[in-house]
Amino acid sequence: MRVSVEEYGNSEMARRFGVRRYPVVFVDDVLFARPKDFGFGAAEDISGGLYVPWLEPANQRRFKDDLRTAVTRRLAGENVAGLDVADVTTGADPAEGPSTIPSLPLKDIDGAPIDGAVLADRPVVVEMWATWCPPCRTTMAWLNTLQKKYGSRATVIAIAVDSNPDEVRKVSASLKPNYRIVMGTPEVIKAFGAVAAVPKILIFDRAGRRSTIIYGAPPDLHQQIERAVRTASR
């Protein structure tokens, strides 16, 4: 048996199967687990995944037991039924994100409402992030540059998920963002889509339509965001 761990954005397995989202687990050529199966939310998790809430030890043990069983059966030459690969190769799952920017009222971590006018007639970049995710912080720091570059011609919002509010405020104090940070309440997560892994970037165009979703932190993440914002500005 060989275990292969590949970085999303530089993965032969992802290219072979057309995987758009991570994390995924294959046993041979059989899809065993999808991103939504690892959703780390608690009551706010809306993914319908097999092992959610992932942070519960019982679900992690169940995943390990199921994976051990699947591998043992394959080593014995048995066929193993898998999940539908379309679940990770298409953007059709509504839990991944809304087709248009949600209209629900938003407040930042200081309780100040976000004026709906800053979400209209301009690209909107939404990063769903967590305080324990280093690539998230790197991208959030870079988003300062993006927001400064575009000014009122684009809006950046960062939604904190799976994170303690006090820790979110500490990160905000250290990064000094020139954009708004929002806590990922159950209502916010339901509106913007399930989060099985971070960072997750959603970009909406000037008409409020979702134009791009970027999963994870590939090496050219910032360049991808810039290109998507330029396209969404047209």
Side-chain angles (χ1 to χ4, degrees), residues 56-135:
E56 289 189 4
N59 286 330
Q60 296 179 19
R61 287 194 297 269
R62 187 158 60 88
F63 165 76
K64 293 176 183 178
D65 289 343
D66 290 350
L67 181 59
R68 185 181 298 110
T69 298
V71 170
T72 300
R73 289 180 59 194
R74 284 299 300 130
L75 289 173
E78 297 181 36
N79 289 326
V80 176
L83 301 168
D84 187 354
V85 176
D87 286 351
V88 295
T89 59
T90 70
D93 187 345
E96 290 303 318
S99 58
T100 58
I101 192 165
S103 59
L104 83 163
L106 294 174
K107 292 184 178 180
D108 65 19
I109 55 175
D110 295 320
I114 296 177
D115 189 346
V118 303
L119 306 178
D121 195 31
R122 71 192 71 183
V124 177
V125 179
V126 178
E127 177 179 5
M128 303 185 83
W129 68 287
T131 54
W132 43 262
C133 166

Side-chain angles (χ1 to χ4, degrees), residues 122-123 145-156:
R122 71 192 71 183
T145 302
L146 184 76
Q147 183 67 84
K148 182 178 180 180
K149 176 179 178 179
Y150 278 86
S152 62
R153 294 179 292 118
T155 295
V156 174

Side-chain angles (χ1 to χ4, degrees), residues 15 18 21-22 31 47 50 66 74 83 113 132 135 159 171 187 190 192 197-198 204 215 218 220:
R15 286 189 289 270
R21 300 183 287 281
Y22 87 109
L31 177 62
S47 66
L50 297 173
D66 290 350
R74 284 299 300 130
L83 301 168
W132 43 262
I159 298 176
V171 172
E187 294 76 18
K190 183 177 181 179
F192 283 90
V198 288
F204 299 89
Y215 302 93
D220 63 341

Side-chain angles (χ1 to χ4, degrees), residues 4-230:
S4 176
V5 179
E6 298 180 336
E7 178 186 356
Y8 184 81
N10 186 29
S11 165
E12 181 57 38
M13 183 70 81
R15 286 189 289 270
R16 178 181 173 192
F17 287 95
V19 172
R20 289 166 44 89
R21 300 183 287 281
Y22 87 109
V24 295
V25 177
F26 283 87
V27 176
D28 283 343
D29 292 346
V30 174
L31 177 62
F32 175 80
R34 307 150 297 185
K36 66 182 181 181
D37 296 322
F38 303 103
F40 51 67
E44 65 267 32
D45 193 292
I46 63 168
S47 66
L50 297 173
Y51 305 105
V52 296
W54 176 247
L55 291 182
E56 289 189 4
N59 286 330
Q60 296 179 19
R61 287 194 297 269
R62 187 158 60 88
F63 165 76
K64 293 176 183 178
D65 289 343
D66 290 350
L67 181 59
R68 185 181 298 110
T69 298
V71 170
T72 300
R73 289 180 59 194
R74 284 299 300 130
L75 289 173
E78 297 181 36
N79 289 326
V80 176
L83 301 168
D84 187 354
V85 176
D87 286 351
V88 295
T89 59
T90 70
D93 187 345
E96 290 303 318
S99 58
T100 58
I101 192 165
S103 59
L104 83 163
L106 294 174
K107 292 184 178 180
D108 65 19
I109 55 175
D110 295 320
I114 296 177
D115 189 346
V118 303
L119 306 178
D121 195 31
R122 71 192 71 183
V124 177
V125 179
V126 178
E127 177 179 5
M128 303 185 83
W129 68 287
T131 54
W132 43 262
C133 166
C136 297
R137 294 197 189 198
T138 300
T139 298
M140 289 177 68
W142 173 81
L143 285 173
N144 270 335
T145 302
L146 184 76
Q147 183 67 84
K148 182 178 180 180
K149 176 179 178 179
Y150 278 86
S152 62
R153 294 179 292 118
T155 295
V156 174
I157 294 175
I159 298 176
V161 301
D162 190 42
S163 300
N164 179 282
D166 290 339
E167 292 299 317
V168 172
R169 291 187 177 89
K170 287 181 182 178
V171 172
S172 177
S174 66
L175 293 177
K176 296 180 174 56
N178 55 9
Y179 51 85
R180 311 289 281 279
I181 295 179
V182 174
M183 285 302 304
T185 63
E187 294 76 18
V188 170
I189 291 177
K190 183 177 181 179
F192 283 90
V195 187
V198 288
K200 173 182 175 182
I201 312 292
L202 301 102
I203 299 173
F204 299 89
D205 66 14
R206 293 179 58 187
R209 298 169 300 212
R210 190 185 77 201
S211 59
T212 304
I213 302 181
I214 305 172
Y215 302 93
D220 63 341
L221 174 60
H222 301 169
Q223 292 90 332
Q224 286 191 41
I225 295 173
E226 279 247 45
R227 288 195 297 270
V229 170
R230 286 197 298 270

